[in-house]
Amino acid sequence: MEKMSQTQQCPYVARCGACHIGEKSYEEELAQKKEYVIRHIGKYCSQIHDVAGMYYPYHYRNKVHAVFGKIKEEVVAGTYAEGTHTLVPVSGCLIEDAQASAIIQTAAQLIQSFKLWVYNEDTRRGLMRHILVRKGASTKQIMVVLVTAAAEFPHKNHFVAELRRHHPEITTIVQNINDKQTTMVLGDREKTLYGPGFIEDVLMGLRFRISPSSFYQVNSAQTQVLYKKAVQAAALTGREHVIDAYCGIGTIGMCMSAKAMHVTGIELNAQAVKDAKANAKRNNIKNMHFVAADATEYMTRMSQKGERADVIVMDPPRSGSTEAFVRAAVSLKPSRIVYVSCEPETLGRDLAWFRREGYHAKEASPVDMFGFTECVECICLIER
Ligand code: SAH
């Protein structure tokens, strides 16, 4: 079968701003992403491979978020137009999972028919704020998170029953309470309304539990491509102590654990660490442990104690790592560092810090996880 190369059209593209679908072909986009990577890290890394693209670059997002609002008298679900507070109703988005999109539309209709009050960001009144749907690409388990401005949720049981009647594919429903004036979607209180309160997914033969707030890569098919490259770059023999910094629910470290002596996962989000521990147990992995800590602080403490590591994997958020982390990482004297980056610009900055410490980028393999957006993921191998 030939790769999908014809670009599909989206009716919202000009107003929504979340992606740039339809502006150029997917192949052109991949070429531009490679240029972007070269622009930011070319100075530090001579070997930059072509971007590994998706086989079918549509409906890849396994995590879909929408904000509720009212347009005239109608309850709608959509997104704020980029950089504004104007709600653009979106249905049938081309990059989002189609089942998740359908559930979101049903939820908006139910809010209308149950006469529930939609939250208004300006007046700070109303109840229903956001909806988040996450799907396990291989298990097909689906989690719906309804974000409300208050704990009180009128007709809650009936609402949940109706949502499930329309979508029997839903495996869990969680109410998240967010009463703050914030751009963050999720608040810190949660009530499970149906099912276990989390979903599971299978990746690289391992089973992972995912909670509402835990980070999990949004593009499952490309995540496997990415993780395989990370495992390859780590070149493990079974004797290494590996550090998986910024480990989320422990996915990368667990994929490496069978080929390592021991893996230490470091993650700031306590809920993600809880998931990570459950995941290790579930997959019968006994040579990995997790610490809930700021990666820089923990690495600095390891460095002060004179500890060593053979391979360091790091996968920081878009803001990248810190100079102190780089210093601490280098002092553990690893033979290789596998940097998984979702932002070439901060990767470039961090590579400059590594170079100053005598560690050099050998090669970089970009992977497209977010088709039709500006983002590009990159695996970068750094050696002494
Ligand atoms: N490696 C994981 C997660 C990567 S996302 C995966 O592939 O799924 C980045 C992760 O870094 C998130 O889970 C986030 O909670 C965590 N994080 C952000 N800042 C951190 C910090 N200062 N210290 C440790 N972890 C941090």
Side-chain angles (χ1 to χ4, degrees), residues 19 44 48 90 96 186 189 231 251 264 266 292 312 340 356:
C19 80
Y44 308 106
I48 297 172
V90 173
E96 295 171 353
L186 297 179
R189 269 184 300 158
V231 172
T251 41
T264 305
I266 312 170
I312 295 175
V340 184
R356 216 175 48 205

Side-chain angles (χ1 to χ4, degrees), residues 149-280:
E152 179 83 14
F153 183 167
H155 318 298
K156 183 175 69 191
N157 294 344
H158 193 188
F159 188 97
V160 165
E162 275 301 291
L163 192 57
R164 287 184 52 215
R165 190 174 66 78
H166 284 89
H167 298 282
E169 65 273 22
I170 296 172
T171 55
T172 191
I173 302 177
V174 176
Q175 179 189 0
N176 176 281
I177 299 141
N178 187 354
D179 53 11
K180 301 205 175 66
Q181 197 167 16
T182 167
T183 52
M184 300 277 284
V185 174
L186 297 179
D188 41 26
R189 269 184 300 158
E190 232 170 66
K191 281 191 205 170
T192 301
L193 306 182
Y194 166 70
F198 57 83
I199 53 166
E200 290 183 317
D201 197 18
V202 176
L203 210 60
M204 312 260 292
L206 298 167
R207 209 170 176 89
F208 296 106
R209 171 174 117 168
I210 307 152
S211 292
S213 72
S214 297
F215 178 89
Y216 188 67
Q217 296 284 359
V218 299
N219 183 334
S220 307
Q222 289 298 91
T223 298
Q224 310 227 30
V225 175
L226 185 80
Y227 286 2
K228 275 183 195 152
K229 287 184 191 291
V231 172
Q232 219 171 15
L236 300 170
T237 64
R239 289 189 299 269
E240 294 84 359
H241 174 207
V242 178
I243 290 175
D244 179 7
Y246 308 90
C247 72
I249 60 171
T251 41
I252 301 180
M254 273 183 236
C255 292
M256 293 182 177
S257 63
K259 290 183 181 163
M261 176 102 84
H262 189 83
V263 184
T264 305
I266 312 170
E267 164 62 44
L268 191 60
N269 177 339
Q271 183 56 50
V273 172
K274 218 167 138 187
D275 283 355
K277 287 179 179 167
N279 289 333

Side-chain angles (χ1 to χ4, degrees), residues 19-292:
C19 80
H20 303 278
I21 222 158
E23 285 175 9
K24 48 183 167 286
S25 75
Y26 186 54
E27 285 70 20
E28 275 174 285
E29 177 187 321
L30 293 180
Q32 282 181 5
K33 284 183 170 173
K34 183 175 179 183
E35 287 306 312
Y36 181 70
V37 173
I38 293 172
R39 190 156 5 115
H40 288 290
I41 70 165
K43 203 157 92 183
Y44 308 106
C45 181
S46 54
Q47 203 185 357
I48 297 172
H49 300 287
D50 283 345
V51 181
M54 280 177 249
Y55 186 76
Y56 179 74
Y58 301 101
H59 300 292
Y60 58 81
R61 278 195 72 95
N62 62 28
K63 174 175 155 183
V64 179
H65 160 253
V67 54
F68 292 122
K70 246 183 161 174
I71 294 183
K72 294 195 177 120
E73 281 314 300
E74 195 191 349
V75 176
V76 295
T79 180
Y80 289 124
E82 202 177 15
T84 75
H85 222 75
T86 314
L87 184 65
V88 180
V90 173
S91 65
C93 164
L94 285 171
I95 65 173
E96 295 171 353
D97 178 81
Q99 243 177 345
S101 300
I103 291 170
I104 291 172
Q105 291 312 308
T106 305
Q109 285 154 15
L110 289 177
I111 290 173
Q112 178 101 37
S113 60
F114 277 73
K115 298 193 170 54
L116 291 170
W117 211 6
V118 169
Y119 184 78
N120 180 315
E121 298 266 349
D122 300 318
T123 62
R124 300 192 62 197
R125 292 174 66 186
L127 181 70
M128 308 304 286
R129 291 188 81 161
H130 308 265
I131 183 166
L132 184 71
V133 180
R134 303 184 86 169
K135 177 171 159 187
S138 50
T139 59
K140 308 292 177 226
Q141 294 179 12
I142 294 180
M143 167 164 61
V144 176
V145 185
L146 295 161
V147 184
T148 59
E152 179 83 14
F153 183 167
H155 318 298
K156 183 175 69 191
N157 294 344
H158 193 188
F159 188 97
V160 165
E162 275 301 291
L163 192 57
R164 287 184 52 215
R165 190 174 66 78
H166 284 89
H167 298 282
E169 65 273 22
I170 296 172
T171 55
T172 191
I173 302 177
V174 176
Q175 179 189 0
N176 176 281
I177 299 141
N178 187 354
D179 53 11
K180 301 205 175 66
Q181 197 167 16
T182 167
T183 52
M184 300 277 284
V185 174
L186 297 179
D188 41 26
R189 269 184 300 158
E190 232 170 66
K191 281 191 205 170
T192 301
L193 306 182
Y194 166 70
F198 57 83
I199 53 166
E200 290 183 317
D201 197 18
V202 176
L203 210 60
M204 312 260 292
L206 298 167
R207 209 170 176 89
F208 296 106
R209 171 174 117 168
I210 307 152
S211 292
S213 72
S214 297
F215 178 89
Y216 188 67
Q217 296 284 359
V218 299
N219 183 334
S220 307
Q222 289 298 91
T223 298
Q224 310 227 30
V225 175
L226 185 80
Y227 286 2
K228 275 183 195 152
K229 287 184 191 291
V231 172
Q232 219 171 15
L236 300 170
T237 64
R239 289 189 299 269
E240 294 84 359
H241 174 207
V242 178
I243 290 175
D244 179 7
Y246 308 90
C247 72
I249 60 171
T251 41
I252 301 180
M254 273 183 236
C255 292
M256 293 182 177
S257 63
K259 290 183 181 163
M261 176 102 84
H262 189 83
V263 184
T264 305
I266 312 170
E267 164 62 44
L268 191 60
N269 177 339
Q271 183 56 50
V273 172
K274 218 167 138 187
D275 283 355
K277 287 179 179 167
N279 289 333
K281 204 164 167 189
R282 183 95 161 68
N283 292 291
N284 205 20
I285 293 170
K286 300 206 170 74
N287 62 340
M288 182 159 187
H289 84 280
F290 298 91
V291 282

Side-chain angles (χ1 to χ4, degrees), residues 151 270 319 349:
S319 51
R349 178 201 64 196

